[in-house]
Each structure stands twice: as C-alpha cells, then as structure tokens.
C-alpha cells in the first residue's frame, strides 16, 4: 500500500513537472488564439438540467451551477457545449473519471502545449475553482434545451408590417455609405453616416452582434447577436429602425439574405451554434419557415458529432443557394432555396473546423478558413464542387478576406492568421493565371499573430492587416499596411490607438479595417473596456494619415463595422 501511494504521488509530481515545463515553453497556441477560443458563450445563463455521473466526485447544486457558469464562460468555445470536443479535446466522463481529480487539477492549473490555457497559474481561476472544475468535468454534461419552431415563433415580432413601411426612401441619408458598427458589450449597433461621420442612431440588438449583412436591394440591414437574436432594420425609414426581430436559437454567429436574380430579399437564413441548426425565414418579416439540423458525421473519421456549429453563411449569385459552413464536421452545405418545401442540399466535405471566409473577386469561388486545420477550402459555387484545399499558416482568420491583383500572380485572395505573423496569398484566376490558381503563391510577414481581419478595396493600392489579439499592446493597438505594388518592402505601421487620443488608460485594441464606399477611407475600431472610452479612427487611404476620429460616449466597445455598399456587394 505504501509503495502504491508513493507511485501515485510520483505520477502526480511527474505530471506537474511536465505540464509546468510545457507552460514555460509556451508551445501550442499563441496568447491571441487562446483569447479568441476562450470567448464566453451566451449559454452561461441558460437553465439546464443537472446530470450527475454515479462515479463522479460529489458536488452540491450550488457548486455545479458555479462550475457550469465558468465552463460556458471559459471552456465551451473549445470543448463544445456537450464536451464532446471541438477545437479542444473531449471532456466526457468516460475520459475524465479515468484521469482522476488530481491529474485534472494539474492539467487545468498548468495548461498544455496543445492549447489548454494555464487557468490556475495565470490567476484566472482560484485554487478552489480549479478543484471545482476538475470535479465538474467528471459529471455528465448538462443538456441545454433545444430551440424549435414554437420557441422561435414565441420570440418573433413584426414591429412594422411590410404594408405599413415606406414605399420609397424617406430620409436624405447616403444609405450606401452607412456603417453598421457593433457595440459589443452594450448589446447595440450604431448606424454611422460615412459622409458626415455622425451617429445616425443607436439601436438595441442581441448581445455582441457578430456580423451585419445587407439585403440584395440594399434596403434592409440584418444583424445577429451571439445570443442568436436577429434584428431586421429598414434603412428607408425617416430614422432607420428595427421592423422585425426573432431569436433563432440560444447561441449563433451568422445571418444572410438571398441574392440570386429573382429571389432578391425573398429569404433570410441564420445559423446557430446551439442548437446546431439553421433556419430559413421570410425576407420581409423574419417569419421562420424551415429549420434544418446540422448534426451528422465528420468529414475525416466519419464519426457522429452531436453539435456541429454553423459558422459562416454566404449567398450565391450563380444559383438560388446559400453556402452554409458546418464547423466541426468540416462540410459546406449548398442549400437550394428555390423550393423550401422540397429542400435540396449539396454536401461538400473538405476539412474540419470551417469558420469564416468570403468570395474571390469573381464571386464564383468561396474561400473558407478551416482554422484549426490550418487550411483554406475553395468551393466552386458555379459547378457545386470542391475546387481545392490549400495549406496556409497557423489558424487562419480572414474575416471575409481581401482580394487584389498581384503584380506577378494576378488576382489573389489573402488571409491573415491568429497563430502566426504570416499573411498567405492564394491565386484565384484559373483562366489567365492557371498555374497559380488555388495555390498559396506567397507569404507576407506581418506584425505578429493574433490577427482577426484583413481588408483591401478595388480602388485602393493598400492591404490592411490588424493584430487585435496580439499580447504586445504596441502591436494590438496598430495596423500594418502593405503597398500592393511593392509588397517586398514590408509594411507601414499606423498607430491607430495613439491617433484616437484616448487618455483614460483603457486596454485598447485596433481591429477590423473596413473601407467606405468610395474606397478612399479606411475605418478602424479602437475597442476598449465597457467602462472606458472607445473610438472609431478614419484613415486617408491615399496618404495613410489620420483623417478623423469619432468619439462619443455612446460608442461602447465598438468591434465589427460594416459598410453598407461593400457588404451588399461583397467588396473586400
């Protein structure tokens, strides 16, 4: 018995020393990746049923609820709602109980080189919370509720009926140059006039709006919060406002409207993180019409996955189809909406962890980041087939990406990365530049990892790259700009946060460069804490000098912003 106890102690010591070494070496994920993956989930506040595994350590209901909140605030983004594994490893009782509490506490405390943050030694979790989480992951995962048609319809509101809306534009705004800016922690969006730089209105939305999308006609703005609330905003009104809203699930990221000729503004689609599904709605009222589950088999191991999240959605201009990216299974679903009562879907498998992406300049090829596979998937929307899978840098995160004409390689699409400083260029012209088509033709060296967005414009000679999640404040508060005609000379650094002139000491980040309609200005968010001042900085694209700073106490945690014209026409 004594020898057995000594062996157990030795095993714990060796595990601790090993994990300490791993943490000190800082291998695996970068701090930027860790921050991105550990974003909180709106499911933290959703009532769930406690399910206690008979062989798991004892927990009181209060302990279980506290641990559940921590899990959804810190862990669900990587390990999944049901702990079946997503970006992170599975944490189900058949695995965790066998590891034991001491091993799990050590693992949670020190992290791992595979990407697990060192929650204890970093100070993010107390010793008591580390113990709590070690016991929690040995319980059966609590099951969040489903969200079906009755749930959606109970939240669906048509605030102004289509027949009661304006028959023509009722304001003097240059609608095509409006910016829809996410005020993340306030649960709002700001509509900002791109001409005057004045705030038109602040509208209540869901929490942490992820994206804004524009209808094919340019009249309606759709925004979706991480809590899966969709707002439909009529830009023709004297003062633009919400005319319909719905909650399509419990957690979500994506919304889009139909764009194919003859179907403009007819349908809206939204995709959920939980439950794993998408819903097709009427384009003028958001009435839910069709819900489709995305649960199914993974593209690689052909194993069932219970919660494959819908990451990004785009609308084809070649066919009446939505292209729906299903993250964990690694599949793009081409959903034919010409008859939603007899829905036809083309399933294209590529690589797991499909996330965000955008069109190439021709709008035929959908370029999608399979982020934890370090690949870009290319989907041919005309032929409905996989055109290529391209290896790129570590954890690509392009947003919509950036299109421009390279002096040597012709049309290219670019992505930056969360996990390293590279900017990968992929050829996109299979006609005039066939030898470069859908291959990585070059890597540029940027400021560092932690990039979220990259952007250019057909009328610009510059490529803008943010590094908002880089741990170095000098890097995270600035933007790198490349001269497209002379990429070899490196980048120019724009000190965006410094230009904002904020002096209240907030931890600022510069992110998401986006052009105005004319392509001669670049708007960049300066995102600070909820109780600190934030701002929008406007850069003159020709001279790369400061043009304007927009400061307003109502600009609370501005993050993403979307120009109406560029979003409507997929200009990036």
């Amino acid at each position: 018995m004594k020898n057995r106890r000594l062996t157990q102690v030795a095993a714990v010591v060796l595990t601790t020393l090993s994990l300490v070494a791993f943490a000190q070496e800082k291998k695996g994920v970068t701090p930027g990746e860790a921050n991105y993956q550990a974003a909180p989930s709106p499911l933290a506040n959703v009532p769930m049923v406690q399910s206690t595994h008979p062989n798991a350590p004892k927990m009181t209901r209060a302990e279980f609820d506290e641990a559940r909140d921590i899990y959804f605030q810190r862990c669900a983004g990587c390990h999944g709602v049901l702990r079946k594994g997503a970006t992170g490893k599975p944490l189900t009782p058949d695995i965790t109980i066998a590891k034991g509490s001491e091993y799990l506490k050590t693992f949670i405390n020190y992290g791992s080189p595979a990407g697990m943050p060192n929650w204890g030694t970093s100070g993010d979790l107390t010793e008591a919370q580390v113990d709590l989480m070690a016991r929690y992951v040995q319980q059966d995962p609590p099951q969040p509720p489903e969200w079906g048609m009755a749930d959606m319809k109970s939240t669906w509101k048509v605030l102004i009926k289509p027949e009661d809306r304006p028959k023509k534009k009722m304001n003097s705004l240059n609608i095509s140059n409006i910016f829809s800016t996410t005020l993340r922690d306030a649960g709002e969006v700001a509509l900002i006039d791109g001409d005057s730089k004045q705030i038109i209105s602040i509208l209540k939305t869901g929490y942490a709006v992820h994206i804004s999308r524009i209808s094919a006609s340019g009249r309606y703005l759709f925004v979706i919060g991480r809590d899966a609330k969709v707002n439909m905003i009529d830009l023709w009104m004297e003062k633009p406002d919400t005319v319909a809203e719905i909650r399509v699930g419990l957690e979500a990221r994506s919304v889009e409207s139909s764009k194919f000729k003859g179907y403009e503004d007819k349908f809206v689609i939204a995709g959920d993180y939980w439950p794993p599904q998408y819903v097709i709605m009427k384009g003028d009222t958001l009435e839910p019409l069709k819900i489709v589950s995305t649960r199914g088999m993974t593209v690689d191991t052909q194993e069932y996955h219970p919660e494959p999240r819908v990451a990004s959605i785009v609308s084809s201009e070649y066919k009446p189809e939505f292209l729906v990216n299903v993250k964990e299974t690694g599949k793009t679903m081409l959903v034919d909406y010409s008859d939603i009562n007899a829905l036809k879907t083309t399933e294209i498998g590529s690589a797991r962890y499909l996330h965000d992406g955008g069109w190439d300049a021709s709008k035929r090829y959908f370029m999608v980041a399979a982020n934890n596979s370090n690949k870009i998937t290319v989907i041919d929307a005309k032929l409905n087939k996989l055109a290529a899978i391209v290896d790129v840098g570590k954890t690509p995160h392009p947003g919509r990406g950036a299109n421009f004409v390279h002096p040597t390689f012709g049309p290219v699409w670019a992505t930056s990365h969360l996990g390293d400083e590279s900017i990968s260029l992929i050829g996109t012209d299979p006609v005039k530049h066939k030898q470069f088509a859908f291959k990585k033709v070059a890597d540029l060296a940027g400021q560092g990892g932690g990039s979220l967005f990259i952007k250019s414009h057909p009328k610009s000679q510059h490529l803008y790259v943010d590094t908002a999640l880089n741990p170095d404040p000098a890097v995270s508060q600035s933007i790198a700009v490349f001269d497209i005609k002379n990429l070899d000379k490196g980048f120019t650094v724009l000190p965006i946060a410094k230009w904002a002139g904020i002096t209240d000491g907030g931890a600022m980040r510069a992110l998401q460069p986006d052009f105005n309609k004319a392509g001669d200005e670049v708007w960049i968010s300066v995102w600070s804490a909820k109780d600190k001042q934030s701002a929008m900085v406007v850069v003159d694209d020709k001279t790369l000098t400061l043009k304007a700073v927009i400061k307003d106490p109502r600009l609370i945690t501005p993050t993403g912003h979307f120009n109406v014209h560029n979003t409507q026409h997929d200009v990036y």
Side-chain angles (χ1 to χ4, degrees), residues 232-309:
M232 178 180 182
I233 299 163
D234 187 353
L235 299 177
W236 277 15
M237 295 173 66
E238 184 174 354
K239 188 173 183 180
D241 207 346
T242 296
V243 294
E245 64 182 41
I246 190 172
R247 195 172 182 196
V248 297
L250 296 172
E251 184 172 3
R253 295 294 188 278
S254 51
V255 66
E256 181 62 287
S257 66
S258 53
K259 292 184 177 180
F260 185 68
K261 187 176 181 180
Y263 293 87
E264 297 94 334
D265 294 23
K266 186 173 182 179
F267 295 114
V268 174
I269 184 172
D272 287 336
Y273 267 28
W274 186 269
Q277 62 193 29
Y278 62 84
V279 57
I280 299 174
M281 300 164 278
K282 288 185 68 175
D284 59 352
T285 64
L286 298 183
E287 178 184 358
L289 302 173
K290 187 86 169 181
I291 304 172
V292 180
S293 173
T294 54
R295 292 177 169 103
M297 315 307 284
T298 61
V299 69
D300 46 10
T301 58
Q302 298 288 295
E303 293 179 283
Y304 179 75
H305 200 292
E307 53 169 311
R309 299 173 285 183

Side-chain angles (χ1 to χ4, degrees), residues 62-218:
E63 287 179 325
F64 185 91
D65 288 344
E66 180 185 352
R68 192 207 70 167
D69 289 346
I70 292 173
Y71 181 83
F72 282 101
Q73 288 290 336
R74 305 278 193 175
C75 317
C78 276
H79 298 286
V81 170
L82 301 178
R83 305 210 306 265
K84 294 284 188 179
T87 308
K89 299 289 186 182
L91 293 175
T92 46
D94 58 311
I95 298 171
T96 54
I97 289 175
K99 297 291 186 183
S101 294
E102 290 304 317
Y103 174 91
L104 293 168
K105 283 195 289 185
T106 303
F107 192 75
I108 295 167
N109 196 45
Y110 291 104
S112 84
M116 175 77 169
N118 54 324
W119 293 113
T121 58
S122 67
D124 289 293
L125 297 181
T126 66
E127 184 177 346
Q129 287 174 325
V130 168
D131 174 74
L132 193 68
M133 297 310 295
R135 288 183 285 141
Y136 174 78
V137 296
Q138 295 177 72
Q139 316 292 325
D140 286 325
Q143 177 77 37
E146 299 295 319
W147 194 264
M149 186 62 75
D151 299 298
M152 291 187 194
K153 286 196 170 181
S154 71
T155 68
W156 172 49
K157 298 177 183 177
V158 180
L159 304 174
I160 302 177
K161 296 179 181 179
E163 59 266 29
D164 296 330
R165 296 172 197 165
K167 302 300 184 287
K168 62 180 181 179
K169 183 170 163 293
M170 301 299 292
N171 56 59
S172 59
L173 297 168
N174 180 7
I175 287 178
S176 60
N177 201 34
I178 288 175
F179 284 82
S180 173
T181 299
T182 297
L183 306 181
R184 186 184 187 279
D185 294 343
E188 299 170 334
V189 294
L191 300 183
I192 305 177
D193 184 348
D195 295 341
S196 68
K197 315 294 189 292
Q198 299 297 310
I199 295 176
I200 299 165
S201 57
I202 305 285
L203 303 179
K204 282 290 180 186
T205 61
Y207 168 71
V209 161
H210 191 66
I211 56 171
S212 298
R213 291 292 177 260
I214 309 297
S215 66
S217 67

Side-chain angles (χ1 to χ4, degrees), residues 293-556:
S293 173
T294 54
R295 292 177 169 103
M297 315 307 284
T298 61
V299 69
D300 46 10
T301 58
Q302 298 288 295
E303 293 179 283
Y304 179 75
H305 200 292
E307 53 169 311
R309 299 173 285 183
V310 177
S312 57
I313 303 173
V314 294
S315 186
S316 173
E317 295 183 22
Y318 277 89
K319 299 176 182 179
E321 290 180 338
F322 293 119
L323 282 73
V324 179
N325 279 322
V326 186
K327 191 177 180 100
E328 278 73 25
T329 53
K331 298 175 181 178
T332 300
M333 318 298 286
L334 283 68
V335 181
D336 183 340
Y337 53 75
S338 60
D339 183 355
I340 64 168
N341 293 316
L343 204 65
K344 299 182 182 72
T345 302
T346 301
E347 177 186 295
I348 300 177
S350 54
R352 293 184 71 180
Y353 311 114
L354 296 174
H355 192 60
D356 55 354
W359 295 107
D360 79 307
S362 74
K363 299 182 179 64
R364 173 174 173 174
Y365 300 99
F366 184 30
M367 318 289 289
V368 187
N371 55 16
N372 266 60
S373 296
N374 304 327
K375 301 177 187 300
I376 297 294
T377 290
V378 184
I379 304 295
D380 185 337
K382 183 178 181 180
L383 299 181
N384 284 26
K385 69 176 187 178
L386 179 67
I389 299 177
V390 185
D391 290 318
V392 291
K394 192 171 187 298
T395 320
H397 193 285
R400 308 307 292 276
N403 289 298
F404 62 93
V405 178
H406 190 281
T408 303
F409 307 117
V412 297
W413 179 90
T415 180
S416 51
H417 299 85
L418 274 164
D420 64 37
E421 75 283 355
S422 69
I423 296 107
S424 296
L425 309 185
I426 298 171
T428 59
D429 179 9
V431 178
K432 296 182 180 179
H433 299 83
K434 186 176 181 179
Q435 68 272 37
F436 305 126
F438 312 124
K439 299 175 182 176
K440 186 175 73 169
V441 294
D443 272 325
L444 310 177
Q447 287 200 87
S451 177
L452 291 175
F453 299 101
I454 184 169
K455 195 63 66 78
S456 191
H457 190 281
K459 296 182 180 179
S460 172
Q461 290 302 312
H462 293 123
L463 175 68
Y464 292 77
V465 185
D466 75 16
T467 37
L469 296 184
N470 193 283
D472 183 347
V475 176
S476 65
Q477 295 178 9
S478 61
I479 296 287
V481 184
F482 291 85
D483 181 348
I484 291 170
K485 292 183 177 179
N486 191 2
L487 292 168
D488 291 338
K489 77 174 184 180
F491 53 84
T492 299
V493 176
L494 305 185
I496 300 300
K498 182 179 179 181
W499 284 352
I502 296 173
T503 59
D504 66 356
M508 297 172 286
R509 296 172 182 174
L511 76 157
Q512 193 157 347
D514 198 17
F515 282 82
N516 64 343
K517 177 184 177 180
D520 58 8
E521 293 177 355
V522 179
W523 290 44
I524 299 162
S525 292
V526 178
W527 170 26
S528 193
K530 186 175 182 179
D531 60 346
K532 302 291 184 180
Q533 187 176 43
S534 292
M536 300 292 296
V537 169
V538 181
V539 175
D540 185 303
D541 177 60
K542 185 176 182 180
T543 62
L544 300 184
T545 57
L546 177 64
K547 188 168 185 178
V549 177
I550 305 171
K551 291 181 182 177
D552 190 297
R554 295 174 293 172
L555 287 179
I556 299 169

